[in-house]
Amino acid sequence: MIPAIRGTHDILPGEIERWQHAERVIRDVCARYGYREIRTPVIEREELFAKGTGETTDIVQKEMYAFEDKGGERVTLRPEATPSMVRAYVEHALEQALPTVKLFSFGPMFRYERPQKGRYRQFHQLDVEVFGVSDATLDAEVIEMAAALVRGLGIGESELVVNSVGCRDCRPGFGKALLEALGDRRSDLCGNCRRRSETNPLRIFDCKVPACQPIVDALPHSTDYLCDGCREHFAAVTDQLKALDLDHRVSHRLVRGLDYYAKTTFEVLGSALGAQNALLGGGRYDGLVRQLGGPDRAGIGFAAGMERLVLAMPEGPGASTPDAFVVALGEAARPAAHVLARDLRHAGLATLVDYDARSLRAQMKRADRSGARRVLILGDDEIARGEVTVKDMESGEQAAVARAEVVQRVFG
Ligand code: AMP
């Protein structure tokens, strides 16, 4: 046996129904908020993420499945969707094609992380992005939609956390204030934090090492260092969240692990998930489109982890059961049984049929296990009379029905 690669997983029948249900709910919510679906390749140029996600991020430095292809090009399996969405937006000039560019996408992402519950190396995300709108009402709408998605999936217990990380103008000042506040205590931080304090001090807030916590807790808050524009924007976002009756908590520690965020950041945390409790996260990234070679357009979006959403969902509907199971009695009836199965399927009925010439008992057992509502039995006698014996599996009742009328009479 050659097992699956560590950190990857199969989604098997029995579980896939939960995924399909989640995708249906999400598609429905996206449509109601005006989003259109897009699918981009899972493989992209490595440069897209180095420039987009950011050279100093853990994702780019440590986690990418990057390699040189046979043509000598540096490529990577995508670790996240936003840079690809920006690339597609720019490459196809989507702002000319669509009235408002609101896009969503489902698909696998790849990160070489340490696998644990709720964290995989191949995982799936719903990605939602809006381009070209700077107004704070959109930030609130996007956040409200994220909350609506979680609610729509029946996930009861969750918490919405928001913050503002400032923009290109005010963030450097905040970074400096962080370093000043750290002062000598920098040497007490873990190795990761010390490295972060040199490359991107905001990232220190992501640290989970217990010894760092008292130091991190005493650091200044980004919201105290916002420029006028960012402060007004953030106030407008939180006011609008209140107008939308959306409970939220402002957390100065919510800086998110990616370089491109500006102004609003947010996450929805699930309460029953353990350490990996972020159901979704996102924020505004107003400089990213230009940074990736496009026009100067605003952007905002979020990504939700499908594995975590599915895990947090309550027990949903199970697999659907077949409408009919066709049983052939005797060798001669087998071809006719398959013709009957074809007719039922063409009439829109989910139908199973056996392929090996087994006893009536064995076929009935299999039919029972399949959960089929009705079993249709075809033997030499039935064929001679132009009939089918129909057994209702719930009541156990059995009746002969004319072959030509079986679809109409039994399933009509
Ligand atoms: P990020 O793209 O890191 O902002 O993550 C957005 C969401 O994707 C998170 O809130 C998680 O729900 C999910 N996610 C991120 N990384 C993983 C992973 N390695 N395994 C499973 N889900 C993940």
Side-chain angles (χ1 to χ4, degrees):
M1 209 251 318
I2 303 169
I5 293 175
R6 187 166 133 81
T8 70
H9 63 107
D10 301 307
I11 307 167
L12 301 175
E15 200 198 345
I16 198 77
E17 291 76 17
R18 292 169 64 76
W19 285 71
Q20 290 166 338
H21 172 72
E23 286 169 14
R24 267 195 304 274
V25 169
I26 291 169
R27 277 177 202 287
D28 178 50
V29 172
C30 286
R32 276 187 275 144
Y33 284 75
Y35 288 81
R36 309 273 297 268
E37 185 173 0
I38 170 171
R39 299 184 195 183
T40 64
V42 295
I43 190 163
E44 296 268 11
R45 288 172 211 276
E46 186 178 16
E47 185 194 356
L48 180 66
F49 301 96
K51 268 203 191 138
T53 312
E55 293 277 13
T56 66
T57 57
D58 285 354
I59 289 180
V60 170
Q61 287 193 344
K62 299 192 241 167
E63 296 169 3
M64 286 218 290
Y65 281 87
F67 57 97
E68 195 174 293
D69 72 9
K70 291 190 167 41
E73 181 139 37
R74 292 294 304 172
V75 296
T76 184
L77 299 182
R78 62 181 178 193
E80 60 142 342
T82 304
S84 301
M85 300 282 263
V86 174
R87 179 194 54 66
Y89 167 72
V90 174
E91 197 165 339
H92 305 288
L94 289 180
E95 69 178 340
Q96 271 142 49
L98 301 170
T100 321
V101 187
K102 289 178 140 183
L103 304 172
F104 78 95
S105 191
F106 286 112
M109 306 294 153
F110 305 84
R111 295 183 196 171
Y112 197 78
E113 295 190 271
R114 194 171 56 74
Q116 62 184 95
K117 187 177 175 226
R119 189 160 78 188
Y120 305 92
R121 289 182 174 168
Q122 175 176 338
F123 58 100
H124 299 77
Q125 282 185 338
L126 156 72
D127 192 63
V128 172
E129 313 286 355
V130 187
F131 296 104
V133 181
S134 311
D135 196 77
T137 50
L138 175 67
D139 302 43
E141 186 195 275
V142 168
I143 294 171
E144 195 278 325
M145 174 173 132
L149 276 178
V150 171
R151 216 179 31 247
L153 293 172
I155 301 171
E157 307 239 322
S158 67
E159 187 187 22
L160 170 62
V161 186
V162 299
N163 191 24
S164 174
V165 293
C167 65
R168 231 172 331 172
D169 297 333
C170 54
R171 197 158 35 183
F174 175 55
K176 232 165 83 194
L178 282 180
L179 292 182
E180 272 165 26
L182 273 176
D184 297 343
R185 302 210 67 185
R186 216 158 119 175
S187 51
D188 299 333
L189 290 169
C190 69
N192 225 346
C193 280
R194 282 205 301 276
R195 185 176 53 78
R196 285 163 167 163
S197 70
E198 273 153 33
T199 52
N200 190 343
L202 257 72
R203 199 66 48 66
I204 293 173
F205 287 110
D206 284 338
C207 183
K208 302 234 159 66
V209 174
C212 293
Q213 301 314 304
I215 308 174
V216 177
D217 282 338
L219 291 174
H221 297 186
S222 56
T223 43
D224 292 331
Y225 289 82
L226 299 178
C227 60
D228 290 348
C230 286
R231 191 172 333 104
E232 278 162 27
H233 186 90
F234 191 51
V237 172
T238 50
D239 282 352
Q240 184 63 13
L241 290 179
K242 280 179 211 136
L244 293 166
D245 280 331
L246 208 56
D247 285 339
H248 60 278
R249 174 167 67 84
V250 177
S251 166
H252 69 281
R253 291 194 63 150
L254 182 65
V255 291
R256 316 254 318 123
L258 313 175
D259 265 359
Y260 46 66
Y261 287 113
K263 296 184 179 160
T264 317
T265 54
F266 61 95
E267 277 186 357
V268 174
L269 310 175
S271 46
L273 287 174
Q276 302 301 316
N277 67 344
L279 290 170
L280 61 88
R284 191 167 264 292
Y285 50 84
D286 287 351
L288 184 62
V289 176
R290 194 166 62 175
Q291 198 176 318
L292 290 175
D296 191 9
R297 296 289 181 275
I300 180 170
F302 67 86
M306 292 299 295
E307 278 80 3
R308 295 188 195 172
L309 290 177
V310 168
L311 202 68
M313 270 162 47
E315 280 301 318
S320 56
T321 48
D323 299 299
F325 195 109
V326 180
V327 163
L329 263 187
E331 197 56 30
R334 290 182 60 213
H338 284 273
V339 174
L340 175 57
R342 189 268 322 262
D343 290 349
L344 293 167
R345 288 166 177 158
H346 283 197
L349 299 160
T351 306
L352 295 181
V353 59
D354 227 356
Y355 302 96
D356 22 50
R358 289 153 19 111
S359 68
L360 173 65
R361 223 179 88 116
Q363 290 186 68
M364 287 305 290
K365 216 167 128 187
R366 190 172 281 184
D368 193 37
R369 241 184 54 194
S370 77
R373 283 191 299 139
R374 293 192 174 81
V375 175
L376 278 61
I377 304 163
L378 259 187
D380 292 345
D381 292 351
E382 279 88 357
I383 291 172
R385 290 198 302 267
E387 288 178 352
V388 178
T389 299
V390 179
K391 179 172 179 184
D392 184 308
M393 295 300 273
E394 212 167 282
S395 64
E397 273 168 34
Q398 208 161 297
V401 180
R403 166 70 175 86
E405 294 168 12
V406 73
V407 172
Q408 174 69 46
R409 294 252 319 266
V410 180
F411 299 97

